[in-house]
Amino acid sequence: MAINLNLSMKKEDLAYFNLVLFHVVLGFLVYLFPFVAKIYGYAIFIVGFFYVIKKQNRNNEAIIAAAYIVGSEVFLRMTHGNPLYEISKYGVMVFIFLGMYYSGFSKSATPYWLFLLLLVPAVVLTTFVLNYDTNMRNSIAFNISGPVCLGICSIFTYRRKIPLEQMNSILLSMGLPIVTCMVYLIFYTPNIRDLITSTQSTTETSGGFGPNQVATILGLGMFIFFSRTILESRTKFMLGLNLLIAINMTYRGIVTFSRGGMITGFLMILLLLLFLYYKSNYTGRVKMNYVMVFMGVTMVATWAYTSFQTGGLIDKRYANEDARGREKESKFTGREDVARGEIDLFLKNPVFGVGVGKGVELRQEETGNGTLSHDEITRMLAEHGSLGIVGLLILFFTPLALYIENKFNMFLLCFVAFWFFTINHAAMRTAAPAFVYSLSLLNVYFEKRE
């Protein structure tokens, strides 16, 4: 019996290693041959489509396929592998619709039907107020695709029962393409010390792409693999592999010098550890004490190494100082000015707002600065008015009500925290906050292994 168990564990280790190795090699191949990114981008959608149809969503394959798209989105944008820039959000919705076709959706998801309806008035208003030379379809789609993706995903996941093991599979599906992104970044910028000369976020350490989005997805990947280190490492090999990936993602995320995504990832890990500690018995809490100390030492060591590699500039970045140690005037690189302007627009148009996408036009006309909003909350206020407030309240309180009802979903608070803090610094530019939020609505239960 013991021999059979050891053999099965070795097979499980080998399968997991091969899965990770494939995504490591893929990252290297994209670095060597950029056209591979295009093949990868198309393959995700084609293979995922046939995968869901073949399985008919018997084990939530639609969510697993959607999770993979979410994890690959930033990498494909970075390497120009996406067929269309915004296709990931639409791809997620297509897979969720497939899931609905095979498995239906919750008839009690009224809050999210209401949320989608609350978006309509501002869209209708937009058709009357946008400037004549503005591409109306692109402007509306760019700003509304994130909230619509969130609403559709939430209708499907609302109170859907799912075993914990499947939830971990969904997170792994989202994490594997982030491994590919991490490996690509390692080859893109192998020597950090020669590149970092200031405390500004830089595209040179984020694959030539926006550091904000890269740090956001790496922060999410850091959480996924730290959670697997704690929950899914049934052998020493798996423990070492998951920890190695988590540490590398932490390092690569920190050196982007974009703070929001990494702070959010750290907060998610802290919430998970606190949940596990609170739910454990005495023996479990003793073990959790060791885990917390180990995680703390690992984080400190990673930070110390990053500080050494950046010549101490990363310490100044998080202390809001410039390279000479002087405190910066703005903690949010001017984003607070955009947020204030959007609050002013809300106060002037409190009922229906100014219309989807109109905020950028008004900002350009009044200040000459057509910067896109990084804060989804103030954008919802400005462009959707009081209806936006109602929509945000629905999104915030519904998962918390579910948590009171079912406190076993150890990831629920982590996912809500990711959504809330991400939309405060990166809006809903990617599918990640919308999709991860919807995972908080799943009714997770524990299924004993055979």
Side-chain angles (χ1 to χ4, degrees):
M1 186 70 180
I3 294 173
N4 289 335
L5 183 61
N6 287 333
L7 285 173
S8 67
M9 290 303 288
K10 287 180 181 178
K11 287 180 181 177
E12 190 178 0
D13 284 355
L14 184 61
Y16 186 60
F17 175 73
N18 288 336
L19 202 56
V20 172
L21 181 61
F22 170 79
H23 287 85
V24 169
V25 173
L26 185 60
F28 179 58
L29 286 176
V30 172
Y31 175 74
L32 289 180
F33 311 107
F35 70 88
V36 173
K38 284 284 185 188
I39 299 172
Y40 178 48
Y42 281 94
I44 289 172
F45 294 96
I46 296 169
V47 173
F49 187 75
F50 285 107
Y51 170 66
V52 176
I53 290 177
K54 182 181 178 181
K55 298 291 185 179
Q56 296 188 351
N57 201 48
R58 293 187 189 95
N59 293 302
N60 294 300
E61 286 83 5
I63 303 178
I64 292 172
Y68 196 90
I69 290 176
V70 170
S72 65
E73 181 177 15
V74 170
F75 174 65
L76 291 176
R77 283 183 175 182
M78 179 192 303
T79 56
H80 307 289
N82 257 342
L84 297 170
Y85 188 79
E86 290 283 327
I87 199 171
S88 294
K89 293 174 189 173
Y90 300 110
V92 167
M93 287 187 272
V94 166
F95 283 119
I96 293 301
F97 281 132
L98 271 177
M100 289 179 180
Y101 174 76
Y102 287 114
S103 306
F105 53 86
S106 174
K107 293 181 175 62
S108 60
T110 308
Y112 296 98
W113 285 111
L114 178 59
F115 171 74
L116 290 175
L117 286 173
L118 290 170
L119 300 176
V120 174
V123 174
V124 174
L125 178 63
T126 301
T127 61
F128 296 99
V129 298
L130 280 183
N131 293 342
Y132 180 76
D133 57 346
T134 299
N135 187 319
M136 187 179 298
R137 183 176 62 84
N138 288 349
S139 182
I140 293 174
F142 179 80
N143 288 284
I144 209 72
S145 57
V148 170
C149 181
L150 184 151
I152 291 170
C153 291
S154 297
I155 288 169
F156 181 64
T157 59
Y158 187 73
R159 287 181 170 169
R160 179 171 294 275
K161 290 186 177 181
I162 185 171
L164 178 60
E165 191 170 0
Q166 254 182 50
M167 174 64 89
N168 285 320
S169 297
I170 292 167
L171 290 177
L172 177 61
S173 180
M174 191 156 40
L176 286 171
I178 306 178
V179 172
T180 302
C181 181
M182 175 194 75
V183 172
Y184 179 82
L185 290 174
I186 290 172
F187 287 103
Y188 190 91
T189 49
N191 194 341
I192 299 295
R193 298 194 74 177
D194 295 340
L195 291 174
I196 302 297
T197 57
S198 72
T199 60
Q200 298 295 321
S201 57
T202 171
T203 58
E204 291 181 333
T205 57
S206 56
F209 192 63
N212 198 12
Q213 292 186 23
V214 175
T216 296
I217 205 68
L218 287 173
L220 179 60
M222 174 185 71
F223 165 77
I224 289 170
F225 284 96
F226 265 120
S227 73
R228 291 191 66 80
T229 301
I230 302 167
L231 301 170
E232 285 291 297
S233 298
R234 290 183 286 277
T235 65
K236 290 180 181 178
F237 175 80
M238 279 192 174
L239 176 68
L241 183 58
N242 286 322
L243 188 61
L244 179 65
I245 294 171
I247 290 172
N248 269 283
M249 284 189 179
T250 305
Y251 172 66
R252 282 288 150 183
I254 292 174
V255 296
T256 63
F257 276 63
S258 184
R259 296 166 291 188
M262 298 312 296
I263 292 172
T264 300
F266 285 124
L267 178 61
M268 292 171 75
I269 293 171
L270 179 61
L271 286 171
L272 179 63
L273 290 174
L274 290 174
F275 178 94
L276 293 172
Y277 186 85
Y278 178 73
K279 291 292 182 180
S280 299
N281 56 23
Y282 175 77
T283 305
R285 289 186 179 185
V286 171
K287 291 181 180 179
M288 282 303 302
N289 286 333
Y290 287 111
V291 170
M292 288 187 191
V293 170
F294 177 72
M295 288 293 184
V297 170
T298 303
M299 291 290 189
V300 170
T302 306
W303 181 271
Y305 178 75
T306 309
S307 180
F308 171 73
Q309 287 292 312
T310 60
L313 289 175
I314 193 65
D315 304 279
K316 293 176 180 177
R317 170 63 172 170
Y318 278 77
N320 196 46
E321 296 173 350
D322 62 16
R324 296 184 179 181
R326 297 171 299 190
E327 186 175 356
K328 295 180 182 178
E329 292 182 10
S330 171
K331 292 184 179 181
F332 305 105
T333 59
R335 294 174 189 168
E336 68 272 28
D337 294 330
V338 175
R340 283 195 207 101
E342 288 178 323
I343 292 171
D344 289 338
L345 287 177
F346 165 70
L347 294 175
K348 294 174 183 175
N349 306 270
V351 181
F352 296 112
V354 297
V356 177
K358 186 63 179 177
V360 177
E361 290 186 352
L362 293 174
R363 191 156 50 249
Q364 178 68 44
E365 292 169 6
E366 293 175 7
T367 65
N369 179 11
T371 305
L372 296 171
S373 176
H374 283 74
D375 192 324
E376 190 69 14
I377 293 176
T378 56
R379 189 200 68 78
M380 286 281 286
L381 290 178
E383 299 185 0
H384 295 266
S386 299
L387 301 182
I389 294 178
V390 176
L392 289 169
L393 290 174
I394 289 172
L395 297 185
F396 188 76
F397 286 107
T398 304
L400 299 183
L402 291 182
Y403 181 70
I404 295 171
E405 181 182 303
N406 173 24
K407 294 185 178 180
F408 183 73
N409 188 350
M410 65 184 71
F411 297 114
L412 188 149
L413 296 178
C414 304
F415 293 156
V416 174
F418 176 80
W419 163 76
F420 181 76
F421 288 103
T422 299
I423 67 170
N424 270 280
H425 71 83
M428 294 183 78
R429 305 282 173 79
T430 65
F435 179 76
V436 171
Y437 172 90
S438 71
L439 297 181
S440 70
L441 307 175
L442 290 167
N443 188 351
V444 180
Y445 64 92
F446 182 73
E447 191 175 59
K448 288 187 178 180
R449 298 178 188 273
E450 294 181 4

